[in-house]
Amino acid sequence: MDELALIIEDDEDLANIFAEALRGIGYEVEILPDGRVAQERLRTGTEPFIILLDMHLPHISGGELLTEMKQEKRFEKTTIIITTADARMGEMYRDQVDFVLIKPISFVQLRDLTARLKPKQ
Amino acid sequence: MKVFFDRILNVPTSDPDDTRRRRVLNILLLGTFAAAVLGLVGILIAGAVAQVSEADFRVLLFGAVGAILGTAGIYQVNRRYSGRFAALLFLLMLTAVFSVSDSPEQLSNGRSLFIFTIPITVSSLILASQASFLFAIISSAIISGLAMSIGQPINIFAVIGFFMLALVSWLTARSLETALDELRTINANLDRVVVERTEALAASLERERIEAGRNQAILDSIADGVIVFDRRWNATLANPAIRGMLEIPQEMIVGKNFRELIDHPKLASKSRHLLLAMVEHDTQPIGFRVEWAGKTLSVSAAQVYNDRGDNIGTVIVFRDFTREAEVERMKSTFVAMVSHELRTPLNAILGYAEMFKEAIYGPMNEKQVNMADRIIKNTQRLLGLINDLLDQAQMEAGKLTIQMAPVRLSELLDNLHSVMDKTASDKGLKLVSEIQDDLPAIVNGDATRLQQILVNLVNNAVKFTDQGLVLVRLFRSAETRWGIEVTDTGRGIPEAEIPHIFESFRQVEGTTTRVHGGFGLGLSIVKQLVQLMNGEINVHSVVDKGTTFTITLPMVTSTELVRNWRN
């Protein structure tokens, strides 16, 4: 079974690009374009292997989602990657997540990074 | 007593000479009057004890009463009518009395001759200086007439004596009058000078009043709030505009100490600290902002010096900056929003172009890959420009801050290589870096901004170098300073251009902007960032040999860092 990757990103194009990068190397991808939708998904669904988390989201911010995830043990094994255009905000959360990528995020860069994270099959 | 005598004796007139004469006449009249009264009393006593004959008694009685009435009448004339006329009457009376006061023999040639000297000398004093001659003539005529009436020769020596005395009296009175005249002239001059000086003083006071009034009018009509403080920071002056700014009435400000004034509920506490720091450190900052009563005020302080150069206090000008601050906030929000909104679609363009290049949706030919590559490069360039503009806007608004944290120097260089290696190798250049041994592995700094400085400098070096290498060196410049050096083997910067290379929107030779792309903001941003980090940047360049940019930065120790954080 392919590892599950959640892409929490409100920009449709970026979500698509990230999804293509991850699908290309064998992730199963789920796109969540809204903070509230993402919150629902995170509370109820299975834990993903990777989460790409945009900080600037409609309704509920990435920061809030992150805080919520950090309180739950079931996300312990999940690799969380923040994707943000705001370098300052990225710095603020650097200690709490595995990676911080500052937009613009290169397709190749993301693909290579997530490929490295994927367990050898 | 003196007042009483003054009232009796003085005859107020406008001519001081006349006043003097009439006063002397009054004194003589008073003396005569007193003598006559005494005489009358003596006569009455003598008459009572029958020491004198009936005829003598009557003559003496009439004489005394006549003298009393005469002096009283003359006194009235002197007082009310004319001093000279009164003097003439008095002298004539005196002469008349004298001429019957003794036997004709004694008067013309004997013991009583001298009494005629009295009207002669006195006349020059109380009537006119030359009047002594008149009374010399009268007296001579009387003694001559008396002598002739008793058949004696005229006493020619007495007549000559009278005229000599008249001459002396005349000269004395004349010189007295002349002296008094001169004194009056001097007095008049003095009076004129006093009047002139008084007028000049009044005029200058008036000018000063007008000047002060004008200054006050300027102060009153100025839109900025102005408070003047003395050396002890007590408010001595405030203009009406201050009321609208601080919401304290003007009259409530004057007399208050600065510390009392800023103890105001509508002053934000951070602003209070800024204002307090200004007083405590006695600095004169220009245009710092405070939040007071819901307004943003720009505060400028300047020391006031008097003509001698002594510091006499401080003037503080408050300017309402609310609108400008609002515009600035809107501008920086706008810039941040625009740059975010621009970056997101550019990221999408970049991503899709990469996907083409990586042949995600099927194989691509070489031309297509090449085209995708160009899209990527141009998008990256556009992103770089947006970042530069955003930084520039933030720095202009004073919003760009330096956030210190431990930075691993090797990581800094690794990141630089990952970003810039390809750019350099695309131009056939080599990017080389080294860290000097005596540098600690970790320094305190703002990693993002240090990275930005390195990328900007290396990018710049690559842009202007056609062959050779770009060398980045991190070194220790002093005990508490470290440095970054970026050297290239490029074309160099002409000496005349060096002073301008850190200016915004500028590239060497002005027109090259189009050739090399960019806004020319890179070096300007680097310089501003270095300054924000309390560092220095220098450039050394030789045309056709290369350029070296050297930056030195303070090496903040951990304890210092902690202290700064607490502050």
Side-chain angles (χ1 to χ4, degrees):
Chain A
M1 199 188 82
D2 287 344
E3 282 77 19
L4 177 65
L6 289 190
I7 298 177
I8 307 174
E9 168 65 63
D10 64 327
D11 186 90
E12 197 189 332
D13 286 311
L14 288 186
N16 273 339
I17 292 163
F18 296 163
E20 284 301 341
L22 270 70
R23 271 189 207 118
I25 47 172
Y27 283 98
E28 188 196 331
V29 176
E30 222 181 299
I31 297 174
L32 303 164
D34 177 304
R36 199 174 288 147
V37 175
Q39 192 179 46
E40 277 305 304
R41 167 65 186 82
L42 288 169
R43 280 177 182 171
T44 53
T46 50
E47 297 78 42
F49 181 76
I50 270 187
I51 295 178
L52 292 192
L53 179 63
D54 184 18
M55 299 311 276
H56 195 263
L57 291 167
H59 306 306
I60 295 172
S61 76
E64 282 175 69
L65 295 177
L66 182 65
T67 313
E68 204 169 301
M69 280 189 279
K70 283 279 139 192
Q71 284 164 357
E72 292 197 43
K73 257 184 133 50
R74 58 199 186 93
F75 291 107
E76 249 174 19
K77 284 184 181 160
T78 305
T79 302
I80 301 174
I81 302 174
I82 283 179
T83 63
T84 177
D86 188 339
R88 292 273 161 227
M89 192 176 290
E91 286 304 317
M92 268 168 59
Y93 290 102
R94 191 174 283 283
D95 297 341
Q96 299 182 36
V97 297
D98 298 284
F99 296 95
V100 174
L101 297 179
I102 306 296
K103 291 176 186 172
I105 295 163
S106 150
F107 174 86
V108 176
Q109 185 193 359
L110 181 65
R111 188 188 61 188
D112 295 352
L113 173 70
T114 46
R116 277 212 312 273
L117 296 170
K118 205 167 182 291
K120 296 271 185 305
Q121 307 232 323
Chain B
M1 194 69 177
K2 185 176 186 295
V3 177
F4 171 72
F5 273 107
D6 275 348
R7 225 177 59 209
I8 288 180
L9 298 177
N10 276 354
V11 183
T13 59
S14 54
D15 179 5
D17 231 13
D18 194 32
T19 306
R20 175 184 61 86
R21 272 197 303 266
R22 283 163 114 163
R23 188 183 159 88
V24 172
L25 177 58
N26 277 346
I27 292 168
L28 291 171
L29 284 169
L30 186 65
T32 313
F33 181 81
V37 169
L38 281 174
L40 181 61
V41 171
I43 288 159
L44 288 173
I45 292 166
V49 295
Q51 285 285 312
V52 284
S53 66
E54 183 80 7
D56 280 352
F57 178 75
R58 198 172 297 146
V59 168
L60 288 169
L61 190 68
F62 280 128
V65 172
I68 290 169
L69 292 175
T71 48
I74 293 166
Y75 177 77
Q76 286 303 319
V77 171
N78 186 30
R79 217 171 161 79
R80 303 243 166 97
Y81 179 54
S82 161
R84 282 187 198 267
F85 184 58
L88 185 62
L89 284 177
F90 175 71
L91 290 164
L92 288 175
M93 185 190 85
L94 215 58
T95 312
V97 170
F98 288 161
S99 57
V100 295
S101 62
D102 208 346
S103 62
E105 292 86 4
Q106 296 300 340
L107 283 167
S108 62
N109 232 333
R111 62 184 179 207
S112 295
L113 197 57
F114 77 95
I115 57 170
F116 289 103
T117 59
I118 294 169
I120 294 170
T121 49
V122 171
S123 66
S124 65
L125 269 179
I126 62 171
L127 185 56
S129 54
Q130 60 271 43
S132 56
F133 292 109
L134 174 65
F135 280 87
I137 291 167
I138 291 169
S139 301
S140 299
I142 288 167
I143 61 163
S144 300
L146 287 171
M148 281 194 290
S149 69
I150 54 168
Q152 284 190 356
I154 294 166
N155 189 343
I156 205 84
F157 296 106
V159 170
I160 291 167
F162 284 169
F163 277 94
M164 289 297 286
L165 185 65
L167 181 69
V168 171
S169 295
W170 174 65
L171 288 173
T172 313
R174 264 293 300 274
S175 65
L176 182 69
E177 277 174 9
T178 313
L180 284 171
D181 224 33
E182 280 171 6
L183 204 64
R184 271 199 295 278
T185 312
I186 290 167
N187 271 335
N189 280 338
L190 208 62
D191 285 352
R192 212 187 58 241
V193 169
V194 169
V195 167
E196 279 171 8
R197 290 283 154 83
T198 310
E199 279 171 358
L201 191 66
S204 99
L205 280 172
E206 177 66 10
R207 267 200 307 279
E208 208 158 278
R209 200 182 61 77
I210 290 169
E211 186 71 20
R214 187 166 32 220
N215 288 345
Q216 188 63 45
I218 291 170
L219 204 59
D220 285 353
S221 54
I222 219 167
D224 292 349
V226 178
I227 309 182
V228 181
F229 292 93
D230 64 13
R231 279 300 289 152
R232 295 199 183 89
W233 286 95
N234 292 316
T236 56
L237 188 77
N239 73 343
I242 200 78
R243 181 192 197 126
M245 305 219 177
L246 308 188
E247 295 192 357
I248 307 174
Q250 183 187 356
E251 58 274 12
M252 296 279 287
I253 290 171
V254 174
K256 283 252 176 73
N257 190 275
F258 187 83
R259 288 177 177 83
E260 283 177 76
L261 282 176
I262 62 171
D263 189 19
H264 191 271
K266 289 186 173 171
L267 176 63
S269 72
K270 192 182 165 201
S271 303
R272 185 175 299 124
H273 285 134
L274 281 173
L275 288 167
L276 209 56
M278 178 178 78
V279 177
E280 273 164 11
H281 302 298
D282 218 9
T283 53
Q284 293 85 48
I286 288 175
F288 70 91
R289 312 269 177 88
V290 296
E291 301 288 328
W292 198 319
K295 295 187 192 69
T296 302
L297 303 179
S298 159
V299 183
S300 295
Q303 294 202 323
V304 185
Y305 295 93
N306 64 9
D307 298 343
R308 291 186 305 248
D310 307 325
N311 180 355
I312 54 169
T314 307
V315 57
I316 297 187
V317 179
F318 294 87
R319 172 167 292 180
D320 193 340
F321 226 74
T322 314
R323 242 190 88 74
E324 287 85 344
E326 181 59 28
V327 168
E328 264 177 32
R329 259 194 296 277
M330 278 165 62
K331 184 185 155 196
S332 75
T333 312
F334 173 78
V335 169
M337 199 182 75
V338 163
S339 65
H340 181 263
E341 292 304 311
L342 284 175
R343 256 192 285 196
T344 308
L346 281 173
N347 196 169
I349 294 170
L350 191 67
Y352 287 130
E354 278 183 292
M355 282 158 72
F356 274 130
K357 196 183 163 194
E358 298 297 320
I360 300 300
Y361 300 123
M364 307 280 281
N365 65 34
E366 197 185 327
K367 273 196 173 163
Q368 286 167 324
V369 169
N370 204 7
M371 200 182 67
D373 218 23
R374 285 185 174 239
I375 294 172
I376 292 165
K377 281 232 173 64
N378 280 293
T379 311
Q380 278 167 340
R381 218 171 88 192
L382 205 47
L383 282 164
L385 294 180
I386 289 164
N387 288 343
D388 282 358
L389 278 179
L390 179 64
D391 284 345
Q392 182 71 20
Q394 278 190 320
M395 277 189 270
E396 273 170 15
K399 289 218 163 169
L400 199 147
T401 50
I402 299 299
Q403 293 180 1
M404 302 294 263
V407 178
R408 189 174 285 277
L409 292 178
S410 58
E411 222 167 81
L412 212 55
L413 291 184
D414 287 347
N415 287 337
L416 176 69
H417 278 289
S418 73
V419 178
M420 294 308 298
D421 269 351
K422 188 152 191 311
T423 316
S425 62
D426 282 355
K427 256 192 111 175
L429 302 172
K430 206 168 173 246
L431 177 60
V432 183
S433 67
E434 63 180 52
I435 303 178
Q436 207 175 294
D437 290 342
D438 54 356
L439 260 184
I442 295 171
V443 298
N444 285 307
D446 185 324
T448 315
R449 297 302 171 189
L450 286 171
Q451 195 72 56
Q452 192 177 0
I453 289 171
L454 281 170
V455 169
N456 267 337
L457 286 180
V458 170
N459 213 356
N460 199 64
V462 169
K463 196 185 281 180
F464 294 100
T465 305
D466 299 320
Q467 57 179 1
L469 56 80
V470 175
L471 172 69
V472 178
R473 204 169 67 87
L474 306 184
F475 63 100
R476 185 163 204 156
S477 63
E479 185 57 39
T480 57
R481 288 183 88 80
W482 69 287
I484 298 169
E485 197 179 82
V486 177
T487 306
D488 65 50
T489 53
R491 68 190 72 162
I493 305 164
E495 213 175 313
E497 289 289 341
I498 286 183
H500 305 296
I501 58 168
F502 294 113
E503 289 170 15
S504 298
F505 305 106
R506 179 151 186 145
Q507 283 189 345
V508 172
E509 289 152 23
T511 53
T512 51
T513 303
R514 259 172 257 137
V515 182
H516 298 290
F519 289 133
L521 280 173
L523 288 178
S524 155
I525 288 170
V526 166
K527 180 164 188 180
Q528 291 177 76
L529 286 174
V530 168
Q531 283 171 343
L532 279 172
M533 295 173 175
N534 296 321
E536 276 174 32
I537 182 163
N538 288 299
V539 58
H540 174 77
S541 187
V542 180
V543 173
D544 292 332
K545 286 262 158 50
T547 306
T548 301
F549 283 93
T550 310
I551 291 169
T552 60
L553 298 164
M555 190 142 63
V556 187
T557 64
S558 309
T559 47
E560 273 175 288
L561 192 74
V562 169
R563 202 172 55 223
N564 287 344
W565 268 113
R566 290 211 178 115
N567 288 347

